Amino acid sequence: MKYRITHSTFYHYSQSVGLCQNEVKLQPRNFWRQHCHNSRFDIKPTPMDFRERTDFFGNRVTYFAIQQPHTQLIVTAISEVTIFPRENNLDLFNQLTWEQVRSLLQGTPLQIQSQSEQSQNQVQIQDNNLEILDARQYVIDSPMVTIIPELADYARSSFLPNRALVDVVHDLMGRIHKDFTYDPTFTTIATPLSEVLSFRRGVCQDFAHLAIGCLRAYGIAARYISGYVETLPEPGKQRLTGADASHAWFSVYIPGTGWLDFDPTNNTVPLDQHITLAWGRDYADVTPLKGIAFGGGQHTLSVSVDVLRLE
């Protein structure tokens, strides 16, 4: 499935800004189920300094600075991406129990069956496996996800003894979708998880952080994904350009299989309608646009996102 994503951010200032410096993570990643054909920026006013790099997590990062007085800033990222669908059958994934996965992440090697149904050979996942070493950073606390007892309490009914990790996460995703109300007026970026858990309200960012915190509370590696999801209009209604939005979900590491994505906001396993921008420990690692401005007084912010499926 091929998409064109147009993401525009508008800043309007009450007073002139003399200088601004910004960091942007709005260019889709390339990995096994996604290929970004091209991605470009349209920035007004034109920046005097513009640089691109790759961060620690492999995300594409752009830095730009505007050194001329301005009262508005418009940053538009336009990208074309192909998503390669995969099998939507969780039974095909590694059926390691969550206790086995936790042991591996703690450094205990295990003997597990090969994923191939034709082979009954035993394969050993060593504790020095590079994937496992990388996954361990997603088990500990991060800036916006701190493990608290309430998270373990909420997740407990999903973590049944000897239950396959895939089944644990699928159950947890469904419970979050059922128990929590999507309410864009309730939380901000700074709202702690304890409040989200207490009031059972939030947005996709909160639900992703909540699931990550629950999994880490039991020693499971989980990371935060930022991106987009294709939204289709209701039957008989016209598709509205720019009416889409940024989205967030989470991913869980399954040794011998890799990372598997889950979307608690929509209670689904992402297939070919989710476009990945970046991933990290939490939102702080993947913030789409952040920076500093000298001057400006008060400001207003608006965002327009369009996810267009291409024939």
Side-chain angles (χ1 to χ4, degrees):
M1 201 66 65
K2 189 173 182 180
Y3 298 95
R4 180 184 296 120
I5 306 103
T6 305
H7 185 137
S8 296
T9 305
F10 306 85
Y11 284 96
H12 296 273
Y13 303 98
S14 62
Q15 301 176 21
S16 180
V17 173
L19 168 68
C20 71
Q21 298 178 325
N22 304 272
E23 184 178 271
V24 187
K25 296 179 181 177
L26 287 173
Q27 294 177 287
R29 292 184 65 122
N30 288 308
F31 61 107
W32 67 270
R33 74 172 188 88
Q34 175 175 294
H35 176 68
C36 181
H37 300 280
N38 55 76
S39 184
R40 63 181 178 85
F41 286 100
D42 182 10
I43 303 173
K44 298 178 181 177
T46 303
M48 298 294 292
D49 193 4
F50 185 94
R51 290 174 255 164
E52 296 185 358
R53 65 179 177 87
T54 301
D55 71 6
F56 173 81
F57 301 100
N59 302 313
R60 302 172 68 181
V61 185
T62 299
Y63 163 85
F64 70 89
I66 297 174
Q67 303 175 22
Q68 63 190 80
H70 57 281
T71 56
Q72 70 173 12
L73 170 64
I74 304 174
V75 181
T76 300
I78 305 170
S79 306
E80 290 191 357
V81 177
T82 294
I83 306 298
F84 305 102
R86 58 163 177 72
E87 183 67 42
N88 186 23
N89 185 353
L90 294 182
D91 293 336
L92 297 178
F93 289 91
N94 202 314
Q95 293 297 299
L96 285 174
T97 68
W98 68 268
E99 295 98 334
Q100 289 176 310
V101 175
R102 180 178 62 183
S103 294
L104 283 167
L105 291 167
Q106 291 174 343
T108 304
L110 293 178
Q111 294 284 344
I112 66 170
Q113 284 192 347
S114 170
Q115 274 194 267
S116 172
E117 293 181 359
Q118 289 75 30
S119 173
Q120 296 300 316
N121 296 330
Q122 299 291 306
V123 296
Q124 188 177 45
I125 299 180
Q126 301 287 349
D127 67 346
N128 63 350
N129 180 291
L130 293 179
E131 280 193 353
I132 292 179
L133 290 174
D134 178 72
R136 286 174 183 164
Q137 66 182 310
Y138 298 102
V139 177
I140 59 177
D141 286 354
S142 56
M144 301 185 73
V145 180
T146 301
I147 298 171
I148 56 176
E150 291 83 358
L151 291 172
D153 292 341
Y154 177 78
R156 183 167 290 113
S157 63
S158 296
F159 281 84
L160 300 178
N162 299 314
R163 191 177 196 180
L165 177 58
V166 170
D167 295 334
V168 168
V169 183
H170 196 268
D171 181 74
L172 178 64
M173 174 181 69
R175 289 177 52 224
I176 292 174
H177 179 76
K178 178 182 177 182
D179 294 344
F180 289 76
T181 300
Y182 186 89
D183 184 355
T185 66
F186 179 73
T187 59
T188 68
I189 294 174
T191 303
L193 269 180
S194 57
E195 288 190 24
V196 175
L197 190 57
S198 177
F199 290 93
R200 303 292 174 100
R201 310 184 79 82
V203 294
C204 56
Q205 171 191 300
D206 303 306
F207 303 154
H209 281 158
L210 175 66
I212 291 169
C214 288
L215 291 162
R216 290 179 184 172
Y218 284 85
I220 302 300
R223 67 189 182 191
Y224 184 97
I225 312 288
S226 71
Y228 310 98
V229 62
E230 180 190 25
T231 54
L232 300 177
E234 296 180 10
K237 292 190 177 181
Q238 186 177 1
R239 181 182 179 277
L240 299 177
T241 302
D244 297 313
S246 297
H247 193 47
W249 57 99
F250 71 97
S251 190
V252 175
Y253 177 68
I254 303 173
T257 295
W259 291 90
L260 181 60
D261 291 2
F262 293 84
D263 180 355
T265 304
N266 297 298
N267 194 27
T268 187
V269 175
L271 294 173
D272 61 353
Q273 291 181 292
H274 286 67
I275 300 104
T276 299
L277 279 177
W279 60 59
R281 297 165 300 170
D282 57 36
Y283 176 83
D285 289 331
V286 301
T287 307
L289 175 59
K290 62 182 179 180
I292 56 174
F294 295 90
Q298 301 296 318
H299 76 272
T300 59
L301 167 66
S302 61
V303 177
S304 170
V305 177
D306 185 51
V307 180
L308 176 64
R309 182 183 294 203
L310 302 177
E311 296 298 332

